[in-house]
Amino acid sequence: QVQLVESGGGLVQAGGSLKLSCAASGRTFSSRNMGWFRQAPGKEREFVAAINWIGARTLYADSVKGRFTISRDNGKNTMSLQMNSRKPKDTAVYYCAARAGLEISDDQREYDYWGPGAQVTVSS
């Protein structure tokens, strides 16, 4: 069992930076592939980034590639999403998620555990 909680959300101006964190409880965090997803108002939840269990492999949505960086610290049971060059279209509720599969994935159906989400708003 893994429990996830996001933090670091808030309001930022376009072009600014923000770092989201995901704190995990449970002994299996270090063996799980992790991901970030987001859901904008009136839209379906979409993939943002993923990282494998040891942090050696990452995957990004085209819309955030080059602007966002995903990382993890298994010693602290945390995962982060550094978001630079923010755009108004990045406004959404951001969710961290964990899966037990062997590979990282951009498919939210393959994730077993989810955090409650953190609101991020980018003003123009």
Side-chain angles (χ1 to χ4, degrees):
Q1 191 82 352
V2 177
Q3 293 183 325
L4 305 171
V5 179
E6 303 91 345
S7 62
L11 175 66
V12 63
Q13 288 189 329
S17 298
L18 194 68
K19 186 174 184 178
L20 291 178
S21 295
C22 176
S25 62
R27 296 177 295 173
T28 61
F29 172 79
S30 60
S31 65
R32 293 185 179 273
N33 298 311
M34 303 290 294
W36 286 99
F37 294 79
R38 67 185 182 186
Q39 186 168 20
K43 295 187 177 181
E44 294 186 351
R45 189 162 56 187
E46 64 176 7
F47 169 74
V48 176
I51 189 167
N52 77 331
W53 67 278
I54 201 173
R57 288 191 61 212
T58 58
L59 182 66
Y60 295 94
D62 289 341
S63 59
V64 306
K65 198 173 296 182
R67 299 189 298 122
F68 291 10
T69 301
I70 188 171
S71 62
R72 67 189 296 165
D73 185 336
N74 286 345
K76 296 181 179 179
N77 274 18
T78 59
M79 177 180 66
S80 297
L81 185 68
Q82 177 67 45
M83 302 179 288
N84 298 329
S85 301
R86 299 304 307 275
K87 303 176 181 179
K89 65 180 181 179
D90 293 325
T91 294
V93 176
Y94 284 72
Y95 300 90
C96 68
R99 69 183 297 261
L102 295 177
E103 299 294 332
I104 57 176
S105 172
D106 61 0
D107 186 345
Q108 57 183 298
R109 296 171 298 180
E110 297 183 357
Y111 285 79
D112 307 295
Y113 301 99
W114 293 83
Q119 176 68 49
V120 175
T121 302
V122 183
S123 62
S124 57

